[in-house]
Amino acid sequence: MTAPLRLGIAGLGTVGAGVVRILKTHPDLIATRAGRPIEITAVSARSRDKDRGVSLAGFAWEDDPVKLATRDDVDLYIELMGGSDGPAKASVEAAIAAGKDVVTANKAMLALHGQELAEAAEARDHVIRFEAAVAGGIPVVKALTEGLAGNEITRVMGVMNGTCNYILTRMESAGLPYDEVFAEAEALGYLEADPTLDVGGIDAGHKLSLLASIAYGTKVNFGAMDLEGIERISIEDIRQAADMGYRIKLLGVAQMTGRGLEQRMSPCLVPATSPLGQLEGGTNMVVLEGDAVGQIVLRGAGAGAGPTASAVMADVIDIARGTRLSTFGQPATALRPARGAEASVSAPYYLRMALVDKPGALAKIAAVLGDAGISIDRMRQYGHDEPTAPVLIVTHKTTKTALDEAIAAMGKTGVLSGDPVAIRIEEV
Amino acid sequence: MTAPLRLGIAGLGTVGAGVVRILKTHPDLIATRAGRPIEITAVSARSRDKDRGVSLAGFAWEDDPVKLATRDDVDLYIELMGGSDGPAKASVEAAIAAGKDVVTANKAMLALHGQELAEAAEARDHVIRFEAAVAGGIPVVKALTEGLAGNEITRVMGVMNGTCNYILTRMESAGLPYDEVFAEAEALGYLEADPTLDVGGIDAGHKLSLLASIAYGTKVNFGAMDLEGIERISIEDIRQAADMGYRIKLLGVAQMTGRGLEQRMSPCLVPATSPLGQLEGGTNMVVLEGDAVGQIVLRGAGAGAGPTASAVMADVIDIARGTRLSTFGQPATALRPARGAEASVSAPYYLRMALVDKPGALAKIAAVLGDAGISIDRMRQYGHDEPTAPVLIVTHKTTKTALDEAIAAMGKTGVLSGDPVAIRIEEV
């Protein structure tokens, strides 16, 4: 048996404590699989005295994660503090400069600084791995980087924020409006300190931008993502979607098109009977499509101590075994700039609007769609007691550009009451 | 860029031709990901002149796969001929002796000789990888060996024979009996030359035995598997199961119990709303459960040129990248003997039987179950025109041993017409 791999762990929240627990529970199993013992030599966190349910006895303590990252008795630095900048980034940079490998669960840091960090690490022949940053326990970074490496990737899709999926499925099952379920989720501690990270789609968007980089060999370009959260999804839309056989999911989609890389994180309708449509609660799902493999669906817990620590350990054991991969599956210097593309992949859309109750109102809307070259698949007008008539339209495939133009033109007809709701229907 | 990795491919059927096609379609993409070019230098197959839809120009030809496997200009030998012994095994042995790495899709060979082959390869620091042997394009060997390496695996389940799943779902959707759908599948070319390999559960059993070895660190022990095919599944059972919210799947389950390794490949009832229950047609699904990660579900095409070649390429690119793993995730010499266990994990069971139409018949059956300590969850007796009464029972959890004893005792009551059908209900 060769020399132990010595870990320094910064951040002892849920995930960090989970990693400590795994290493204390299964040292022999892991040593047998890794081919060498894996030991924690030093740790760092905000408070030394907090009860984390695991003993830290025998580990050296550092108040400063940068010091931890550069210790001589640390071979592999594990960053589990979070935050795109600050101590997380400073300590990872220090670890790289000191010649350490790095494992991190930090999607925000990598989405914003991944290129720079990967280049620095690879220039020194060191690796940064981040399985835990995307979709919790699901080994999706590995599946995409390694398992599907023989494929030209044609589409990456994912429901990768458990909180949003919890809110959307709970709205449907309990028939509750967004605000009430949001408050429930907040009370249950499901939301980030800044809830916009969750419900604004930012957290899931960070994850998608990392997968897109691996899939298409492009530099991470989170800034070019078309980002829309779930804040404006109404119980009405959830009901109408269900009635037509769909469910609304905060769905990430990354596709390489003739015009560049299209990355969207936005609410979409998906068939209720599809694997994505059937996803309940906090579970995550990633769908990978390649020209040879067809469609691969991966499903599992997207958060939590055990699942996320399991992903951290996968990276740690890879490194212990001697597996050396580029951060994004090919040398960072070989990644191409990701030219952001407007949403150019056409799709059917769901439209809901309220029309003033005048003869010919519906005909005007239909005419606007026709003029924009958008044909109607299904249309429903509901009986109503209000002075406005609820109307639901499912279009055939169209582009976002054509749809936006049609919606602008609808506004000028004078028959709309309020703005129409438009949600993409993703074919899965 | 470092030296090319030079492949010798034996077997140019669907999968072999698929591998050639991938390498011809994406040489640059693959070289960038692998960090070096990957080239085919020589090939071998039964007929040199057959049209495979891909050109073999530029590849050396060998009639004898053993010669191919030992060529000086081959670094990595890819065995895609199939067959547990014969040329497949001989050529893999020759490749190992000649110091080559090996990639194979041959589940039968590994299920029967994997231990011996892995020991031989590892003694020479060479690797045998077999992603393509299990569940086609789904990167499940990788997910289990690497992605979940930090977990004690608690259960492995899988629907891993697309032909059986096609037959079972087609029986249900078309309302056709087994024999008719079997004939359809045969006409469509879905069945192996020896159909027992498919419908007898042997092919899927081979795959399960390989996953069990990785999961539990035990020597492959296909011989100890509890094996039952789908030949005796009637349309009646499929209908009754559906009526109670279940579907029948040929399900593999591997679990380590206090008594040893339990490996079963047999028809099971699973909830119709579960991911396994919803699996249609030829698609495969593997469910991996670990103490940290919880449940991970992987779904994708289980066969076909593209998906299986994608899996072969994953292994090839791993090797090109320098990833060196033990065949079963830890040194073959460290694998423990897999003590086979009788099915000791208890489960609810579905029972269908025909009772002679006599007063007290049902009471006698209920008494037999009660005597065996088996309690009844649900029972239905149907109206009927025949002289026998169809009866359906769902038990609470019981062991296979207790159930077998109860069924034997039922036979002695004189109220049964024919043998009862008993199918395990797996909690998923």
Side-chain angles (χ1 to χ4, degrees), chain B residues 154-213:
Chain B
T154 49
R155 187 167 57 162
V156 173
M157 292 191 289
V159 170
M160 298 185 286
N161 182 285
T163 303
C164 287
N165 203 50
Y166 166 82
I167 291 175
L168 292 171
T169 52
R170 170 92 178 129
M171 283 172 72
E172 180 174 356
S173 63
L176 292 172
Y178 175 81
D179 290 343
E180 269 183 57
V181 177
F182 177 88
E184 273 185 15
E186 202 159 37
L188 288 164
Y190 288 2
L191 286 156
E192 300 267 356
D194 172 5
T196 314
L197 287 175
D198 286 315
V199 297
I202 297 167
D203 166 81
H206 286 152
K207 296 169 184 169
L208 181 67
S209 72
L210 300 177
L211 294 182
S213 172

Side-chain angles (χ1 to χ4, degrees), chain B residues 44-216:
Chain B
S44 172
R46 258 181 243 157
S47 150
R48 188 166 184 172
D49 301 323
K50 191 178 159 188
D51 179 12
R52 300 174 170 93
V54 290
S55 162
L56 305 180
F59 309 153
W61 177 272
E62 294 281 358
D63 286 317
D64 178 0
V66 170
K67 279 203 173 159
L68 176 76
T70 54
R71 282 175 68 106
D72 285 341
D73 60 0
V74 165
D75 305 310
L76 170 56
Y77 175 61
I78 305 185
E79 186 283 302
L80 302 172
M81 295 177 289
S84 62
D85 294 83
K89 181 159 179 265
S91 62
V92 167
E93 286 169 341
I96 293 167
K100 319 288 188 188
D101 291 326
V102 173
V103 168
T104 177
N106 194 328
K107 56 224 80 162
M109 177 181 71
L110 291 176
L112 302 182
H113 311 296
Q115 179 66 28
E116 168 198 334
L117 294 172
E119 284 186 21
E122 290 168 19
R124 288 162 184 80
D125 276 334
H126 283 277
V127 300
I128 303 178
R129 303 303 300 151
F130 60 92
E131 185 63 81
V134 183
I138 305 175
V140 59
V141 171
K142 181 171 280 292
L144 186 60
T145 314
E146 305 168 45
L148 269 55
N151 289 260
E152 181 173 71
I153 301 299
T154 49
R155 187 167 57 162
V156 173
M157 292 191 289
V159 170
M160 298 185 286
N161 182 285
T163 303
C164 287
N165 203 50
Y166 166 82
I167 291 175
L168 292 171
T169 52
R170 170 92 178 129
M171 283 172 72
E172 180 174 356
S173 63
L176 292 172
Y178 175 81
D179 290 343
E180 269 183 57
V181 177
F182 177 88
E184 273 185 15
E186 202 159 37
L188 288 164
Y190 288 2
L191 286 156
E192 300 267 356
D194 172 5
T196 314
L197 287 175
D198 286 315
V199 297
I202 297 167
D203 166 81
H206 286 152
K207 296 169 184 169
L208 181 67
S209 72
L210 300 177
L211 294 182
S213 172
I214 301 167
Y216 304 109

Side-chain angles (χ1 to χ4, degrees), chain A residues 22 26 32-33 137 142 145-147 149-151 215 278 291-293 296-299 306-307 310 314 317 321 325 329-330, chain B residues 22 26 32-33 137 142 145-147 149-151 215 278 291-293 296-299 306-307 310 314 317 321 325 329-330:
Chain A
I22 289 179
H26 300 306
T32 307
R33 287 179 181 163
K142 182 171 279 293
T145 314
E146 304 168 48
N151 289 259
Q278 287 162 345
D291 63 344
V293 80
I296 296 287
V297 179
L298 310 167
R299 172 191 155 124
S310 165
I317 294 171
R321 280 169 164 162
L325 291 177
Q330 53 181 269
Chain B
I22 289 180
H26 300 307
T32 308
R33 288 179 179 161
K142 181 171 280 292
T145 314
E146 305 168 45
N151 289 260
Q278 286 161 348
D291 63 345
V293 80
I296 296 287
V297 179
L298 311 167
R299 172 191 154 122
S310 166
I317 294 171
R321 281 170 163 162
L325 291 176
Q330 52 180 268

